[in-house]
């Protein structure tokens, strides 16, 4: 039972490079989201999706793009990485509706130099 | 935007001690969740609360949904070494028409007393 799978686990980028963080879930969850976690800041929502073809911005969307072409996958794209995007990124998913807590992946640790 | 105030920020525990932490908000929620995060892993759900006044236990963990819907606490009884980690509260407002996104507290870091 895989749950929420994130790849890669670690990544180092140079400023200006682009990359895609992958997230896949096998629980048929409608809702998927991306958070970043920084020391002392807790978890902050970047983007979320309530179903295939539907995405919206969270609290800190600048510098990130997302798409949701299938129910299972929700990739996060950094078009031009900046040092301020050094963080740990978590993908999470849940069913759509009340009484549906989020399930998290194990994170991607990104360093931008 | 909405903010959750989680306290304490950190605490040291000795095996066998009881631990308490809480979250307060200026806004109401209709769901409170408590997560634990171990190093190098994602947060894992401990307890979910869906009703004001609800008191729910999960083993040595007990959490309550405040009657005002603006606060929640988590207690851990008779702590053990594997309780160390970061505990997050999260609130959600679900209005039946749209799923509100989770708002997270900044975490309480539990460490073992030296």
């Amino acid at each position: 039972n895989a749950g929420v799978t994130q790849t890669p686990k670690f990544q180092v980028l140079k400023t200006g490079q682009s990359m895609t963080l992958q997230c896949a879930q096998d629980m048929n969850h409608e809702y998927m989201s991306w958070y970043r976690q920084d020391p002392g800041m807790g978890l902050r929502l970047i983007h979320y999706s309530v179903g295939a073809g539907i995405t919206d911005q969270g609290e800190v969307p600048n510098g990130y793009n997302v798409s949701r072409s299938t129910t299972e996958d929700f990739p996060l794209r950094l078009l031009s990485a900046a040092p301020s995007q050094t963080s740990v990124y978590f993908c999470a998913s849940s069913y759509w509706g009340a009484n549906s807590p989020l399930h998290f992946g194990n994170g991607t640790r990104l360093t931008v130099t | 935007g909405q903010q959750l105030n989680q306290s304490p920020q950190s605490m040291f525990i000795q095996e066998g001690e009881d631990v308490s932490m809480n979250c307060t908000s200026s806004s109401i929620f209709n769901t409170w969740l408590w997560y634990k995060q171990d190093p190098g892993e994602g947060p894992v759900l401990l307890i979910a609360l869906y009703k004001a006044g609800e008191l729910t236990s999960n083993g040595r963990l007990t959490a309550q949904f405040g009657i005002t819907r603006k606060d929640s606490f988590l207690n851990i009884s008779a702590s053990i070494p594997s309780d160390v980690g970061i505990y997050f509260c999260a609130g959600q407002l679900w209005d039946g028409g749209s799923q509100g996104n989770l708002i997270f507290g900044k975490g309480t870091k539990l460490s073992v007393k030296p």
Side-chain angles (χ1 to χ4, degrees), chain B residues 95-112:
Chain B
D95 66 6
S98 64
Q99 179 162 350
N101 295 303
L102 277 183
I103 309 295
F104 282 86
K106 294 184 178 178
T108 295
K109 185 176 181 180
L110 248 58
S111 306
V112 176

Side-chain angles (χ1 to χ4, degrees), chain A:
Chain A
N1 191 5
V4 179
T5 303
Q6 289 184 240
T7 56
K9 196 164 177 64
F10 300 96
Q11 183 70 51
V12 179
L13 290 177
K14 289 185 170 21
T15 298
Q17 286 185 315
S18 63
M19 81 157 294
T20 300
L21 280 62
Q22 301 291 344
C23 176
Q25 52 90 12
D26 62 358
M27 297 172 281
N28 206 29
H29 285 164
E30 302 94 341
Y31 181 90
M32 296 186 74
S33 53
W34 278 100
Y35 288 84
R36 61 178 288 173
Q37 184 177 30
D38 302 293
M41 299 293 289
L43 289 149
R44 294 183 293 169
L45 182 66
I46 304 171
H47 285 285
Y48 66 97
S49 167
V50 300
I54 306 170
T55 63
D56 208 343
Q57 295 180 347
E59 179 187 356
V60 288
N62 292 343
Y64 307 96
N65 282 349
V66 291
S67 59
R68 185 94 180 270
S69 55
T70 67
T71 299
E72 294 79 19
D73 300 297
F74 191 43
L76 178 73
R77 294 185 189 84
L78 284 71
L79 297 178
S80 180
S84 62
Q85 293 178 304
T86 293
S87 187
V88 182
Y89 291 85
F90 288 100
C91 179
S93 71
S94 71
Y95 290 112
W96 173 252
N99 300 2
S100 302
L102 278 180
H103 298 262
F104 284 85
N106 280 333
T108 294
R109 184 173 293 274
L110 176 68
T111 302
V112 183
T113 61

